[in-house]
Amino acid sequence: MSNSFDVIVIGAGPAGYVCAIRAAQNGLKVACIDGWKNYDGSHAWGGTCLNAGCIPSKALLESSEMFHKANHELAVHGVKVTSVSLDLKAMQERKQKIVKSLTGGIAQLFKGAGVTAINGRGLYKKDGSVEVTAPDGSKQSYGAKHVVLAAGSVPIELKSMAFDGKQIVDSWGALEFDAVPGKLGVIGGGVIGLELGSVWKRLGSEDTVFEAMDKFLFMADQQIATVAAREFKKQGIDIKLSTKVSGAVVKSGKVNVTYTDASGEHAATFDKLIVCVGRRPQSEGLLDAGCIPSKALLESSEMFHKA
């Protein structure tokens, strides 16, 4: 394999892999570099969307909806179900099967379009080359006329409630629970937090969603937001608006949360806490020190974070 390309794309999410395939279809010599690692350590194409976002969350939403309907909605149609039980392992396995079929499909699309797929972490160097660190730690340099940075984004982590991967998790960790939490706290009442909260509420969790803004889904059309709020409350999700969480501490396998609303400071205890307060650009380890583009990216990421 030649180490020189017309285009190198760093990142194989929905932006990166589509870009790589389209460039190859237009006759360019293309490589796509991605170092995504799943929870089990395996590599897969597709980035956050296919592996730990849109696709797995929708799979769990559908499965949890089926479980909820069997428990609460079939009787009104004259369908009597005497016993309904949850097999969460089977539900998670279905989710993983869907994810695997789609990520495997990207590999086939790369092959069909002639894209060179490289498993590893890509680093754009100040000399214009791209250094790839393979899973075994070895390094290889590649040259390209054009380099596309499509590394995507990662969940924002708060110092006051750092992710531990067990009790305090990000949106990806919330898709991997092996048991339904008895009491679940969700920091952030945006679409991601509400989606994940809805999944586990349908499966039997007692949910509380904390949102700092005074309006529910403030970025959405408010007529739609009003209808959505009504539906989430019907599910039994406790949504606390104008509420700021100041910290979370794990003790004896529980998460102790401190929050403040109009009536003062309060405390609550949860089995799991999902922190969904937004996402930031994935820029760590992407650009070599001294790169002019790194300063531009840092400035842009700072503006994104402030917004």
Side-chain angles (χ1 to χ4, degrees), residues 172-196:
W172 187 9
L175 293 168
E176 301 297 326
F177 292 157
D178 57 8
V180 178
K183 295 187 69 175
L184 176 66
V186 181
I187 312 299
V191 292
I192 297 176
L194 291 169
E195 187 174 65
L196 294 170

Side-chain angles (χ1 to χ4, degrees), residues 47-197:
T48 297
C49 181
L50 270 66
N51 289 281
C54 316
I55 301 304
S57 64
K58 300 306 180 291
L60 286 183
L61 276 170
E62 182 181 18
S63 294
S64 65
E65 182 182 12
M66 297 300 103
F67 181 76
H68 178 80
K69 285 183 175 181
N71 273 304
H72 303 286
E73 297 181 18
L74 294 183
V76 73
H77 295 281
V79 180
K80 295 184 179 181
V81 180
T82 56
S83 178
V84 178
S85 61
L86 173 65
D87 186 342
L88 183 56
K89 182 180 178 182
M91 190 178 291
Q92 292 284 24
E93 287 174 350
R94 172 184 178 270
K95 177 199 73 177
Q96 288 304 116
K97 185 177 180 180
I98 293 170
V99 168
K100 188 175 181 179
S101 68
L102 292 175
T103 56
I106 294 175
Q108 293 304 312
L109 289 172
F110 277 167
K111 185 177 180 179
V115 175
T116 299
I118 302 173
N119 178 9
R121 292 278 298 176
L123 173 66
Y124 181 75
K125 307 283 285 186
K126 58 186 175 182
D127 63 2
S129 66
V130 176
E131 180 183 86
V132 177
T133 302
D136 63 4
S138 62
K139 298 182 185 295
Q140 179 70 55
S141 291
Y142 299 88
K145 297 176 183 178
H146 306 282
V147 176
V148 178
L149 303 181
S153 63
V154 294
I156 293 173
E157 184 173 13
L158 302 176
K159 292 181 179 179
S160 58
M161 50 196 83
F163 304 133
D164 65 5
K166 295 179 180 179
Q167 263 66 50
I168 303 177
V169 301
D170 59 14
S171 54
W172 187 9
L175 293 168
E176 301 297 326
F177 292 157
D178 57 8
V180 178
K183 295 187 69 175
L184 176 66
V186 181
I187 312 299
V191 292
I192 297 176
L194 291 169
E195 187 174 65
L196 294 170

